[in-house]
Amino acid sequence: MSEFFFGSAGFINFNFLPKYGMYFIQGVEYTLLLSVGSVLLAIVPALVLALMRLSKNRLVRGLSGAYIAVFRSTPLLVQLTIIYFGVFYFIKVPNIIIFGFVDLSRFIPGVVALALNSAAYVAEIIRAGILAVDFGQTEAARSLGLSPLQSMRLVVLPQAIKNILPALANEVITMVKESSICSTYGMMEIMWAAKTVSGTTYISVGPFVLAALIYFCINFPAGKAIEAIERRMRRGDRR
Amino acid sequence: METGAKLISVQNITKTFNKGAVVALKDCSIDIATGEVVAIIGPSGSGKSTLLRCLNLLDIPDSGRICFHDVDITGKKMNIDLHRRKMGMVFQHFNLFPHMTVQKNITLAPLKLGLKTKSEADAQALALLERIGLADKADEYPAMLSGGQKQRIAIIRALAMHPEVMLFDEPTSALDPEMVGEVLDLMYALAKDGMTMAVVTHEMGFAREVAHRVVFMDEGAIVEENEPRAFFTSPRQDRTQKFLAKVLRVM
């Protein structure tokens, strides 16, 4: 029985912690940098994609639609691989280390790949947020003489943000999980820590159980917090 | 501009929705003179709102011309935003901006279009609010107001642009009955001040007492128009008679 828990394939064999715990602490930081960074990077391109998607011009609409379709219909690992080896073969990022362990030559391609992927999803979030604002708002703004862009910026987007922010926070949670794929190319996030520790110590399961625990402890409370904030914002609406 | 001169001229406009499946307007023509109050009435689905929304191109007609000051505003290269500044619009559902205070609602367009400085716009907003007795609501958000208050603020928000014509799209239809009066009173006052107005309405009292001309629409066409007394006492068309028989009975 104790073999089941504490053996080399034991579920709660955490004997590696004193020596390798640091990997996981750095891993958490790396994961948060990747996920928050990629979603933040994605916002502006996503806004552009969303506005293109809502354009009257069929070509403009089609371009944005194609981008979104491609990134939503192919696996992130495939996208990451193509961008990591393909795009960043031509763009050389110097080997600068920040925070003592984040190697930019790996981090930048990773965060860019995640951001490009995230942009497709965030674009849909923004588009839905904009469409949820009553069209009468646009009509009122336009009939006062405001231009389409002014109406969007001054009247529609400030109201859409209420719909967008919670979904955007959920996208960060998704990215916390999805960024585990970056371990494949040596980005030292949580999953990489687990893989590395497991390979070094021959403790095959424990490090991954710890990784799962860490992911859960980040995402579950964050998800609950977002729900609570959403509920409060809806209460504000009904006044 | 002198009273009585032609301000808006609608010439043979047609409008369809859903790629022609729904015909909203069939070959409609109407002129509106400066200082004139035109009431547009008719059964629901008759195209009266669409006609009104075509006047400032919220709906764009499929064919025909709309001239404002003798300029064809349906032209492809036309900057409609400049003309819309001169055409105030009031909606059935008010469409106040819920994320802005009453004051900001009123000052937004004059400020952002660079027509007024901040202090000018604020002073004007306050004067307009005082006129309708709601100066104390300047810093409230629309959600805190009653329907009648919202609609009166929507009206002065449009007035803040100094429009030459005001378009009203069923301005009292979404109001509780006890609030209809305060909105109509403001519209009476506007009409008395000589504002040019086009009003889509179910308020036959307003049409009879305030309008200079009543336009009756049915199935996308202008069926009959006349000055109110003659319109209500001796309608010429069969369809007008039937409609009036129905709506006047419930009054």
Side-chain angles (χ1 to χ4, degrees):
Chain A
M1 196 61 186
S2 80
E3 175 67 17
F4 179 76
F5 288 117
F6 304 111
S8 67
F11 271 68
I12 48 174
N13 178 349
F14 294 153
N15 294 335
F16 54 85
L17 267 180
K19 202 167 167 197
Y20 297 105
M22 198 55 206
Y23 279 31
F24 286 91
I25 293 171
Q26 290 183 348
V28 169
E29 292 173 35
Y30 206 119
T31 291
L32 291 179
L33 278 175
L34 271 177
S35 46
V36 175
S38 62
V39 174
L40 288 182
L41 267 181
I43 289 175
V44 172
L47 181 61
V48 172
L49 285 167
L51 293 178
M52 286 171 71
R53 199 89 190 90
L54 295 167
S55 158
K56 279 197 193 109
N57 185 316
R58 266 175 77 177
L59 179 70
V60 171
R61 221 168 46 220
L63 277 175
S64 162
Y67 180 95
I68 293 168
V70 166
F71 275 89
R72 294 213 305 178
S73 314
T74 54
L76 180 54
L77 181 57
V78 175
Q79 295 164 19
L80 177 67
T81 307
I82 292 173
I83 291 162
Y84 193 92
F85 291 115
V87 177
F88 282 90
Y89 177 82
F90 300 101
I91 307 168
K92 288 281 177 252
V93 182
N95 289 65
I96 297 169
I97 313 280
I98 56 168
F99 304 125
F101 63 97
V102 178
D103 179 353
L104 285 187
S105 70
R106 290 180 194 277
F107 178 77
I108 299 279
V111 82
V112 166
L114 291 186
L116 290 174
N117 173 275
S118 203
Y121 290 90
V122 176
E124 291 293 273
I125 290 170
I126 294 177
R127 186 175 76 103
I130 288 173
L131 288 178
V133 176
D134 179 18
F135 193 63
Q137 293 289 313
T138 305
E139 292 192 335
R142 293 302 310 279
S143 64
L144 285 166
L146 297 176
S147 70
L149 218 62
Q150 283 175 318
S151 306
M152 184 54 78
R153 190 167 53 83
L154 300 167
V155 173
V156 177
L157 278 183
Q159 297 182 60
I161 283 192
K162 241 204 238 180
N163 314 324
I164 293 170
L165 274 186
L168 203 60
N170 279 319
E171 175 66 12
V172 174
I173 292 184
T174 306
M175 278 336 240
V176 167
K177 293 183 286 179
E178 294 286 316
S179 62
S180 60
I181 230 165
C182 292
S183 63
T184 315
Y185 299 121
M187 281 165 255
M188 300 156 76
E189 41 69 72
I190 298 168
M191 186 63 182
W192 180 89
K195 276 187 191 171
T196 306
V197 170
S198 164
T200 317
T201 61
Y202 301 106
I203 302 173
S204 56
V205 182
F208 294 102
V209 173
L210 179 63
L213 272 174
I214 293 173
Y215 280 119
F216 183 85
C217 289
I218 295 172
N219 288 338
F220 184 74
K224 284 289 169 202
I226 294 165
E227 273 177 36
I229 292 167
E230 256 188 300
R231 264 200 307 276
R232 276 188 64 167
M233 279 166 70
R234 264 206 299 276
R235 215 169 35 223
D237 268 351
R238 246 181 266 127
R239 272 190 311 166
Chain B
M1 190 142 173
E2 70 183 292
T3 303
K6 193 160 61 175
L7 182 63
I8 297 177
S9 172
V10 176
Q11 296 161 14
N12 311 96
I13 60 167
T14 299
K15 174 71 183 172
T16 60
F17 291 106
N18 294 342
K19 296 186 173 139
V22 180
V23 181
L25 292 178
K26 288 185 275 204
D27 195 25
C28 289
S29 298
I30 183 174
D31 288 344
I32 297 172
T34 301
E36 193 179 20
V37 177
V38 177
I40 304 168
I41 65 170
S44 55
S46 59
K48 52 194 194 302
S49 279
T50 307
L51 176 65
L52 189 84
R53 291 163 54 84
C54 278
L55 296 184
N56 69 349
L57 297 197
L58 281 186
D59 285 332
I60 297 166
D62 302 340
S63 64
R65 277 159 37 107
I66 295 162
C67 294
F68 183 55
H69 284 303
D70 290 323
V71 178
D72 181 6
I73 58 172
T74 53
K76 272 255 182 294
K77 291 264 177 269
M78 187 57 58
N79 183 356
I80 185 60
D81 297 340
L82 292 176
H83 296 288
R84 280 188 179 141
R85 296 179 187 185
K86 296 284 148 224
M87 304 169 125
M89 179 106 182
V90 176
F91 300 87
Q92 183 178 357
H93 294 289
F94 330 129
N95 297 353
L96 290 181
F97 306 134
H99 59 301
M100 295 178 190
T101 62
V102 166
Q103 174 96 358
K104 289 258 169 61
N105 263 278
I106 301 168
T107 57
L108 178 76
L111 272 183
K112 294 297 173 182
L113 295 173
L115 305 175
K116 284 196 159 58
T117 64
K118 174 104 174 56
S119 58
E120 284 169 356
D122 283 341
Q124 179 191 284
L126 211 62
L128 285 165
L129 281 168
E130 262 160 20
R131 176 173 167 187
I132 58 170
L134 293 178
D136 57 323
K137 304 288 186 196
D139 297 322
E140 301 270 16
Y141 283 85
M144 305 297 286
L145 306 172
S146 74
Q149 291 170 335
K150 282 184 202 171
Q151 192 62 301
R152 286 186 290 146
I153 286 162
I155 292 172
I156 61 167
R157 177 176 71 177
L159 290 178
M161 290 296 292
H162 303 291
E164 293 172 20
V165 54
M166 286 284 285
L167 312 175
F168 292 85
D169 190 2
E170 303 196 24
T172 58
S173 299
L175 295 175
D176 290 335
E178 75 269 24
M179 292 171 184
V180 171
E182 60 190 76
V183 171
L184 287 181
D185 284 346
L186 177 56
M187 292 169 63
Y188 279 96
L190 275 183
K192 223 164 116 190
D193 288 351
M195 175 62 78
T196 311
M197 294 163 68
V199 187
V200 169
T201 187
H202 295 294
E203 296 291 332
M204 294 305 142
F206 180 86
R208 183 151 46 188
E209 287 158 42
V210 183
H212 301 119
R213 183 155 49 114
V214 181
V215 174
F216 174 69
M217 291 186 69
D218 192 21
E219 293 179 356
I222 294 172
V223 176
E224 179 168 352
E225 50 183 308
N226 210 335
E227 57 92 14
R229 190 184 316 192
F231 180 88
F232 283 105
T233 51
S234 49
R236 292 183 296 255
Q237 300 292 328
D238 193 37
R239 275 188 288 177
T240 319
Q241 288 163 8
K242 279 193 183 129
F243 176 76
L244 286 179
K246 268 186 226 156
V247 294
L248 295 180
R249 193 178 50 203
V250 297
M251 276 182 71

